[in-house]
Every structure is written in C-alpha cells, then in structure tokens.
Amino acid sequence: MADKKFYITTPIYYPSDKLHIGHTYSTVQADAVSRYKRLRGYDTFFLTGTDEHGQKIEDKAKEAGVTPKEYVDKIVDGIKDLWKLMNITNDKFIRTTDEYHEKAVQLIFNKMYEKGDIYKGEYEGLYCKPCEAFWTETQAADGLCPDCGRPVITAKEEAYFFKLSKYADRLLEYYAAHPGFIEPAHRETEMVNNFIKPGLQDLCISRSTFKWGIPVPINPDHVIYVWLDALTNYITALGYGSEDDSLFKKFWPADVHLIGKDITRFHTVYWPAFLMSLDIPLPEKVYCHGWVLLDGGKMSKSKGNVVDPVQLAERYGVDALRYYLLREVAFGADGIFSNENLINRINSDLANDLGNLVSRTVAMVCKYFDVTIPAEREDGEFDAELKALAAETKTEAEKYLDALNFSESLTSIWKFISRTNKYIDETAPWALAKDESNKARLAEVMYNLCESIRIISVFVAPFMPETSVEIRTQLGLAPVEDWEECGVFGKEETYTVVKGDIIFPRLDPEKELEELASLNKAPSNPLRDEIEGVAKIGIDDFAKVDLRVAEVKACEPVAKAKKLLKLTLDDGTGEDRTVASGIALYYKPDELIGKKVILVSNLKSATLCGVESKGMILAADAGEEIKVIFVDGIANGTKIR
Ligand code: MSP
C-alpha cells in the first residue's frame, strides 16, 4: 500500500481578504489531481487551510474593532464555503489557530532549540516607532513607513534566529540528488543562483512587536514567525507532535506541495531546512504554479479588479470555471484571465465540442432505437481509429496529470472529443438510418459513440466532477469509480440512454460581456456621483475663502422680503457686521440671537432687498429645510480652516 498513497497540500491562505480567482486556481488544481489519484486507487490525503497569525491580521482586527480570532473566524467560514461551492474534496482543513497545531509548533520550536539550531540574537532593521513595525529596505525605500508615512529609524530588537546558513550545502546537495524536487526546473535555478549561492543568512523566527501569534515556548514575550508557524501545518495536520501521529506515519513525506511561484523560497529553502533540522524526510516535490493575471497585470483589491470566483461559478457553473482555469493556464506559466476568453472557452470547448456530442448522441439513440441500442451490431470503417485514439488518450492524459500539467492533459482529452465528433460526420448516422439494412451498422456506430462518451466521462471526472456525473446519467450509468474504466473500449454490453438537459447551454458573447461588465461596476450611489460631479478645486482656491466664527447679536425680518432675515453679527473685530440670510422661512429671529455661526467674511458685499449684506453665513441644504450651522465654545473672529 505504501506506494499507493498520495499526500497533496495547497498553501494555507491568509484570511485577510476575500479569496479571488487566483487562489481558486491553486485549490482547483490540487482537487483535480486528488480526484484523479483517488480514481486510480491511491489512498489520498488532500490538505488545505488557513494561515491566521501575524501582524497584518492583528492590525485588521484592530481596525474592525474585534479580536483577531473573531476577525478570522468570519473570513475562514467564507473560505470554507468557497471550497464547498467549487466542489473541493479536501480531507482536512487546518487552521493555524487550532490548538493541536499551536502545541505542535511549540514542540517543533523546542526541538530545533534543543538541537542547537535556534539562538537568541538581535534583529536590526528599519523600524517605525508609532506603528511598532519593522520594514525591509524595499518596503521603506524612501525612509518612510509604508503604513503611516512617518520616517523610520534603524532599530534593534532581541529575537530568536534559526541557523539557516548551516543548511546551505545540504540544500544544494539535496537539489542535485533529487531532480524534480522543485518544479518547474527554472525555479530551482532561481533559488540556487539568487538565493543560496550568494550566501544564506540566518532567519529571524520570532517577533516581539506584536502579540497575535504562537508564543515562543522559552520566552512568551515573543511570538513565533508566521512562516515557521505556517509551513509546519503540513506535518501538524497529520498529527506530528501529537499523541496520535498515525496519519503522519502513513502519509508523510508529502507527494506534492502545490504552491504559487511567489512563495517558492519559503517552500524550497526554509521548509526543507526546518525539516532537516527536525530529522524529517523532505517532501517528494514542490510544484510552483504560475499566476492568474489580468490583462493589465496583477489582480489587486486596491485596483478594484479582483475577479470573484463565486460570481462566475454561480453564473456559468462550477465546472465551467474549473475547466477554464485548468485549461487556460499553461504548465508552470502565468495565464491571463479575461471574461472574453472564459465565454469563448465555454462556447467552443464545452457547449460545442462536449455538450453537443452528448446531446446529439443521446438524441440519435432515442430517435433511431427508442432509447436502447440493440445487441445486433456490425463493425465498420473508422471504428478502429476511434478505439486506438481512446487508448492513446488515456496514456497521454495520465502522463500529463501525473506531471500536474492540467492544460496539456485537457488538450489531449479534447483531441479525443473532437475525434469522436468527427466520427459522427464520417459515419453519417442519419444516412444509415434511411435504410433498414444498415440497422446493425447504425447500432454499432451509436454504441461506439456511447462508449467514447463513457470514456470521456472518466477523463473529465477529475476536472469537472458534476459534468462527469451528468454525462453518465444520460448514458444510464452510475458515477465513475475507477479510472481504469477509460482503458477499456467495449465495457458496457449496451446502452439505454436517458435524455437530459443540455449540459452547457451556448452563451451570447455580446450579451454576457455586457452583463459581466455591469455586474462588476461599483453599485450605484447617487450621492457619490453628485459629489464626484462637482468641479474640483485646489487647496489654494479653498484658502481664498475666509471663514470666521461670529455671534448673532440682533436679528429682524426684512420688509418686502418673505425669505430674508437681517442679522447683526459680532465677528470679533468690535464692529458690527450686517448680513442678510435667506432663512426666514426656517427660523424666527429670536431663535438665532446669541447663537454662534460660521461667517464667510470676505464675500463681496451685495444689497439684497435694500439691505447691504457684508458676507454670508453657512447653512445646510437639508432637503425640505435649511439648517444654519451653529458652533459652540469658540471665540468670535476665530478663523476656520
Ligand atoms: N499564507 C501564505 C501561504 C502559507 S503556506 C505554508 C500565502 N497565502 S496567500 O493567501 O497569500 O496565497 C495563497 C496562494 O495563492 C499562494 O500560493 C499564492 O501564490 C496563490 N495566489 C495568490 N494570487 C494568485 C494569483 N493571482 N494566481 C495564482 N495564484 C495566486 O501566501
């Protein structure tokens, strides 16, 4: 059984923001290969989870006015829901705030310490005092804190260090002795040349400027560095360091750590060194996939261009999205996401090629044979070629799936789908159906088509699990249980088909693109639109307005002007100032006397209904009424800026 186990992990995600389509890509890949391995009879363990400690989370929780745990709990629920929606079949979901994990991480720290791989030293870096945060040279490139913009200083703090430098040679030896440990290979070259060979520095593995982390067991004023905490999830999830480590014994070493290219260094340098320190064997492979990008580059919350997987999955179906991600991003490379590409893929690959093949075939079996294909059948031209390609496709699909090359695997499967469609054109069942003497040949053609579709339902099962089940339902078959089924042409004796819905309805590209664009527009906000519509002024323009606190000394109506009140103001100069204000419908003169108002003192004077008004007072246009802005406790004449 030992060689029939498969342990795969995804990175554990930061529960700081909503996950986007890039994170979904990471997890969907791990799910596809896990499903494939299960179908091949491997005892599979698929791990994902969340990475919940660190200053960022602590800060965000503070901002939100909740505890860090309350903050992450909510987001983690959303992440679990997303994986449920995407049909992710993880065997375990680890949270780094789980008690067993925290305990095991402390035990790991102690083990490394006892081995002499951890020592106390001084961490020196660029420090922002008000934010209590250390920054790297790049982060604080201009000498300013990237968070608050205040100058950073060079500061030292006591910290624990891991002797990473000690492992440099062993790491290089390990890479050399284990080709394929890091994939794609150019990532290994990158690590060796840019990182290990120039000289590995020891790694600071504790922090004392924030609290949200696992306490260092030998000094609880410090918390353990998030990456030491996070990376060890791959073994703590299996019970390493707990009373029951049977899963660890069974599944470790991991067969694949599937990660995004941005976290290669942590997984191929730090993690192996930690494992060496603990005398634990290294994982078989670290596979660094590329990124899902947008036309203009990275997705980012600040750019407001984050693609929401929930929105797309709900609109087009989970399988369409899974297919698109796995097909569109080439092995180890970045892929560009666009709504246009997605819709084209759905229309051409899923609706036209696959969906049509299934519905045409089922419809023909219904039409020509009233749902059941007769037993009397006759081989003919084109059959052998179709069968040969089925066998070839199995080999190809397996080769690429084993190598985690999802897009090539799907490309070869689609070649077989196209070949099956071509078989319909070549055999022309509609022509055969015209003559009763062709009945046995027609039966064989229909049978071969159903067999091809059955095989396709196995091929697509890891990628599009619901579609596989739907296809098989229409063929009258139970869900696939064994991958090897796709290696046998002629498995079923016959088929009794069940007409079903169209699996992938064709989309109207123009309409879809328009609707997607409008969905992603910021929700309408008339007030914001109104504010944005007001012509912008510079600070210099604003500085031209002289605003002062003034007190209403006297107030009276203006004859012949129903709306006007004449105010006598004390503006702090010792001289009375007269202002006419259009507020008579909302205030009685007595209500204003003694009140302090805001005066626009440098407004050119104007005569209103016989009153020379020197300035104006500020009031809010509150819909049905006008409300004067009153101020309190500020001396008359004080400037307002
Ligand atoms: N918490 C760390 C991982 C710790 S693993 C011990 C982390 N989390 S993350 O949430 O920022 O990223 C998780 C994964 O998502 C990473 O593998 C990252 O590369 C991947 N992706 C994030 N954005 C992505 C794309 N746009 N495209 C593809 N993958 C992307 O890093």
Side-chain angles (χ1 to χ4, degrees), residues 512-555:
E512 284 306 319
L513 287 176
E514 236 169 64
E515 287 185 15
L516 281 177
S518 75
L519 274 178
N520 291 326
K521 251 199 218 140
S524 94
N525 179 334
L527 178 58
R528 185 199 55 214
D529 294 347
E530 185 188 324
I531 293 171
E532 279 180 359
V534 179
K536 299 283 174 281
I537 58 167
I539 190 80
D540 296 348
D541 296 319
F542 180 70
K544 287 181 193 157
V545 184
D546 189 61
L547 299 174
R548 302 278 167 171
V549 174
E551 189 174 332
V552 183
K553 283 173 69 182
C555 181

Side-chain angles (χ1 to χ4, degrees), residues 11-14 20 22-23 51 227 230 234 260 262-263 289-292:
I12 48 173
Y13 298 88
Y14 291 128
H20 55 59
H23 304 111
D51 182 1
W227 274 99
Y234 300 134
D262 55 315
I263 52 178
H289 64 73
W291 271 41
V292 179

Side-chain angles (χ1 to χ4, degrees), residues 19-29 31-32 82-83 85-88 292 299 307-329 336-339 341-343 345-347 349-350 406 410 462-467 503-504 507 516:
L19 297 194
H20 55 59
I21 201 156
H23 304 111
T24 308
Y25 171 58
S26 239
T27 313
V28 161
Q29 289 180 84
D31 186 64
L82 174 62
W83 299 152
L85 171 75
M86 293 305 299
N87 266 326
I88 302 301
V292 179
M299 263 177 273
V307 181
D308 180 4
V310 176
Q311 192 183 73
L312 294 177
E314 281 175 353
R315 201 171 171 83
Y316 302 116
V318 169
D319 279 359
L321 183 57
R322 287 173 63 112
Y323 172 78
Y324 173 76
L325 290 172
L326 294 167
R327 175 79 191 246
E328 198 69 20
V329 186
I336 305 279
F337 174 89
S338 82
N339 289 333
N341 278 350
L342 172 69
I343 290 159
R345 281 277 179 209
I346 294 176
N347 274 347
D349 300 6
L350 299 181
F406 303 96
L410 282 168
F463 306 93
M464 298 192 288
E466 282 176 4
T467 303
I503 316 176
F504 293 103
L507 303 170
L516 281 177

Side-chain angles (χ1 to χ4, degrees), residues 121-127 134-135 137 153-159 161 204:
E122 261 188 344
Y123 177 75
E124 187 176 315
L126 300 172
Y127 187 67
F134 275 97
W135 300 107
E137 302 262 342
I153 51 167
T154 305
K156 286 181 185 174
E157 69 165 343
E158 187 188 73
F161 284 80
C204 178

Side-chain angles (χ1 to χ4, degrees), residues 238-253:
L238 299 180
Y240 177 84
S242 78
E243 274 166 26
D244 179 5
D245 65 354
S246 50
L247 284 176
F248 177 73
K249 287 194 175 117
K250 181 171 173 188
F251 286 109
W252 192 261

Side-chain angles (χ1 to χ4, degrees), residues 27-144:
T27 313
V28 161
Q29 289 180 84
D31 186 64
V33 71
S34 295
R35 286 175 180 271
Y36 163 68
K37 291 286 179 178
R38 275 187 219 113
L39 282 174
R40 295 203 69 179
Y42 282 73
D43 197 350
T44 299
F45 197 88
F46 166 16
L47 176 69
T48 189
T50 40
D51 182 1
E52 305 185 9
H53 291 123
Q55 176 143 32
K56 230 197 223 154
I57 301 278
E58 189 177 278
D59 289 349
K60 290 211 169 195
K62 210 181 280 168
E63 243 169 63
V66 294
T67 65
K69 185 65 170 46
E70 284 167 346
Y71 179 80
V72 289
D73 277 352
K74 252 203 193 142
I75 302 183
V76 169
D77 282 348
I79 293 177
K80 285 183 174 169
D81 286 347
L82 174 62
W83 299 152
K84 215 183 277 166
L85 171 75
M86 293 305 299
N87 266 326
I88 302 301
T89 53
N90 53 300
D91 294 281
K92 185 166 176 124
F93 190 101
I94 186 170
R95 299 182 57 176
T96 53
T97 50
D98 288 338
E99 206 186 323
Y100 69 86
H101 172 76
E102 295 192 345
K103 271 192 182 160
V105 171
Q106 290 192 320
L107 184 128
I108 286 167
F109 189 101
N110 280 338
K111 270 197 161 183
M112 291 171 159
Y113 186 73
E114 279 154 23
K115 185 163 182 176
D117 277 352
I118 290 178
Y119 63 91
K120 202 197 255 179
E122 261 188 344
Y123 177 75
E124 187 176 315
L126 300 172
Y127 187 67
C128 173
K129 245 185 171 172
C131 298
E132 291 180 28
F134 275 97
W135 300 107
T136 61
E137 302 262 342
T138 339
Q139 286 168 323
D142 44 6
L144 300 176

